[in-house]
Amino acid sequence: MDNRQALGSWLSGPRAAAEQAGVDFGYRGQQLGLPEEGPGSIARPGARLGALAVDWGLCSLIAYGLITQSYGQTSQNWALLILFVLMTVTVGTVGATPGKLLFRLRVVSVRGGRLAPLRALLRAALTCLAIPALIWDRDGRGLHDRLSGAVQIRV
């Protein structure tokens, strides 16, 4: 690596510089024993964001139509509470919210099987805080998934 590459490596980040040096990180989900592609593989960020947008829209619609009859801060606070309840109940029972079902995603335990209800409650609380969901590991799992022992997979 010459000096220009060393100085410019900060543009692409430490992972790209390490890969250029020959380090093999593998694919997302390899450490968890998940396949690289297809059913059972780690869900892509775009699909997860789309599922969250669908869920948020549904919760906003419920808050606006059934509770506040106006669009404002009160409506959004209710929507956040409804999202928390929706995520806790649906992920804790069937393993997916309506948005996740639409995008063919599922939340499962890292050990396999359904996520326990208390872990689903923790995951929903951390998701509603937003910051833990924005901090990802190299497998693409958010901090909310890591702390709750969950992983989002494709169905």
Short mmCIF file of all heavy atoms in Angstrom, two decimals, residues 60-61 63-76 78:
data_model
loop_
_atom_site.label_atom_id
_atom_site.label_comp_id
_atom_site.label_asym_id
_atom_site.label_seq_id
_atom_site.Cartn_x
_atom_site.Cartn_y
_atom_site.Cartn_z
N SER A 60 -49.75 5.24 12.69
CA SER A 60 -50.15 6.64 12.57
C SER A 60 -51.60 6.75 12.12
O SER A 60 -52.34 7.61 12.61
CB SER A 60 -49.25 7.37 11.57
OG SER A 60 -47.94 7.47 12.06
N LEU A 61 -51.99 5.90 11.21
CA LEU A 61 -53.37 5.89 10.73
C LEU A 61 -54.34 5.53 11.87
O LEU A 61 -55.39 6.16 12.02
CB LEU A 61 -53.51 4.91 9.58
CG LEU A 61 -54.76 4.97 8.75
CD1 LEU A 61 -54.85 6.30 8.03
CD2 LEU A 61 -54.76 3.83 7.74
N ALA A 63 -53.75 5.91 15.13
CA ALA A 63 -53.74 7.00 16.10
C ALA A 63 -54.56 8.19 15.60
O ALA A 63 -55.33 8.78 16.37
CB ALA A 63 -52.30 7.43 16.38
N TYR A 64 -54.40 8.52 14.34
CA TYR A 64 -55.13 9.65 13.77
C TYR A 64 -56.63 9.37 13.66
O TYR A 64 -57.45 10.17 14.06
CB TYR A 64 -54.56 9.99 12.39
CG TYR A 64 -55.33 11.03 11.63
CD1 TYR A 64 -55.22 12.37 11.97
CD2 TYR A 64 -56.19 10.68 10.61
CE1 TYR A 64 -55.94 13.34 11.29
CE2 TYR A 64 -56.91 11.64 9.91
CZ TYR A 64 -56.78 12.97 10.26
OH TYR A 64 -57.49 13.90 9.59
N GLY A 65 -56.97 8.21 13.13
CA GLY A 65 -58.37 7.90 12.87
C GLY A 65 -59.19 7.52 14.08
O GLY A 65 -60.36 7.86 14.17
N LEU A 66 -58.57 6.82 15.03
CA LEU A 66 -59.36 6.30 16.15
C LEU A 66 -59.18 7.05 17.47
O LEU A 66 -60.05 6.97 18.33
CB LEU A 66 -59.01 4.82 16.38
CG LEU A 66 -59.33 3.87 15.23
CD1 LEU A 66 -58.90 2.46 15.59
CD2 LEU A 66 -60.81 3.92 14.87
N ILE A 67 -58.07 7.76 17.62
CA ILE A 67 -57.80 8.35 18.93
C ILE A 67 -57.85 9.88 18.91
O ILE A 67 -58.60 10.49 19.67
CB ILE A 67 -56.45 7.85 19.48
CG1 ILE A 67 -56.49 6.33 19.63
CG2 ILE A 67 -56.12 8.51 20.81
CD1 ILE A 67 -55.19 5.69 19.98
N THR A 68 -57.05 10.52 18.05
CA THR A 68 -56.91 11.98 18.15
C THR A 68 -57.75 12.76 17.15
O THR A 68 -58.05 13.93 17.41
CB THR A 68 -55.44 12.39 17.97
OG1 THR A 68 -55.01 12.03 16.67
CG2 THR A 68 -54.57 11.75 19.02
N GLN A 69 -58.09 12.22 16.01
CA GLN A 69 -58.82 12.91 14.94
C GLN A 69 -58.13 14.20 14.48
O GLN A 69 -58.75 15.07 13.89
CB GLN A 69 -60.27 13.25 15.33
CG GLN A 69 -61.22 12.09 15.22
CD GLN A 69 -61.17 11.18 16.42
OE1 GLN A 69 -60.97 11.63 17.53
NE2 GLN A 69 -61.34 9.89 16.21
N SER A 70 -56.87 14.33 14.77
CA SER A 70 -56.07 15.45 14.27
C SER A 70 -54.63 14.99 14.13
O SER A 70 -54.20 14.06 14.80
CB SER A 70 -56.14 16.64 15.23
OG SER A 70 -55.49 16.33 16.44
N TYR A 71 -53.92 15.66 13.23
CA TYR A 71 -52.53 15.28 13.01
C TYR A 71 -51.65 16.28 13.72
O TYR A 71 -51.67 17.47 13.44
CB TYR A 71 -52.22 15.26 11.51
CG TYR A 71 -50.84 14.73 11.22
CD1 TYR A 71 -50.60 13.37 11.26
CD2 TYR A 71 -49.80 15.57 10.94
CE1 TYR A 71 -49.36 12.86 11.01
CE2 TYR A 71 -48.53 15.08 10.68
CZ TYR A 71 -48.32 13.72 10.71
OH TYR A 71 -47.07 13.22 10.48
N GLY A 72 -50.89 15.80 14.68
CA GLY A 72 -49.99 16.66 15.44
C GLY A 72 -49.12 15.82 16.36
O GLY A 72 -49.00 14.60 16.19
N GLN A 73 -48.51 16.47 17.33
CA GLN A 73 -47.61 15.78 18.24
C GLN A 73 -48.34 14.72 19.06
O GLN A 73 -47.81 13.64 19.29
CB GLN A 73 -46.92 16.78 19.17
CG GLN A 73 -45.87 16.17 20.06
CD GLN A 73 -44.72 15.56 19.26
OE1 GLN A 73 -44.26 16.16 18.29
NE2 GLN A 73 -44.27 14.40 19.65
N THR A 74 -49.55 15.00 19.47
CA THR A 74 -50.33 14.03 20.24
C THR A 74 -50.57 12.76 19.43
O THR A 74 -50.44 11.65 19.93
CB THR A 74 -51.67 14.64 20.68
OG1 THR A 74 -51.42 15.85 21.38
CG2 THR A 74 -52.45 13.70 21.56
N SER A 75 -50.91 12.95 18.17
CA SER A 75 -51.14 11.81 17.28
C SER A 75 -49.87 10.97 17.13
O SER A 75 -49.93 9.73 17.15
CB SER A 75 -51.61 12.33 15.92
OG SER A 75 -51.77 11.27 15.02
N GLN A 76 -48.72 11.60 17.00
CA GLN A 76 -47.47 10.87 16.83
C GLN A 76 -47.05 10.16 18.11
O GLN A 76 -46.47 9.08 18.07
CB GLN A 76 -46.37 11.81 16.34
CG GLN A 76 -46.63 12.35 14.94
CD GLN A 76 -46.85 11.24 13.93
OE1 GLN A 76 -46.02 10.36 13.77
NE2 GLN A 76 -47.99 11.28 13.27
N TRP A 78 -49.17 8.94 20.31
CA TRP A 78 -50.04 7.76 20.33
C TRP A 78 -49.56 6.71 19.34
O TRP A 78 -49.60 5.51 19.62
CB TRP A 78 -51.49 8.14 20.05
CG TRP A 78 -52.22 8.60 21.27
CD1 TRP A 78 -52.55 9.88 21.58
CD2 TRP A 78 -52.70 7.79 22.34
NE1 TRP A 78 -53.19 9.91 22.79
CE2 TRP A 78 -53.30 8.64 23.27
CE3 TRP A 78 -52.66 6.42 22.59
CZ2 TRP A 78 -53.88 8.17 24.44
CZ3 TRP A 78 -53.25 5.94 23.77
CH2 TRP A 78 -53.85 6.82 24.68
#
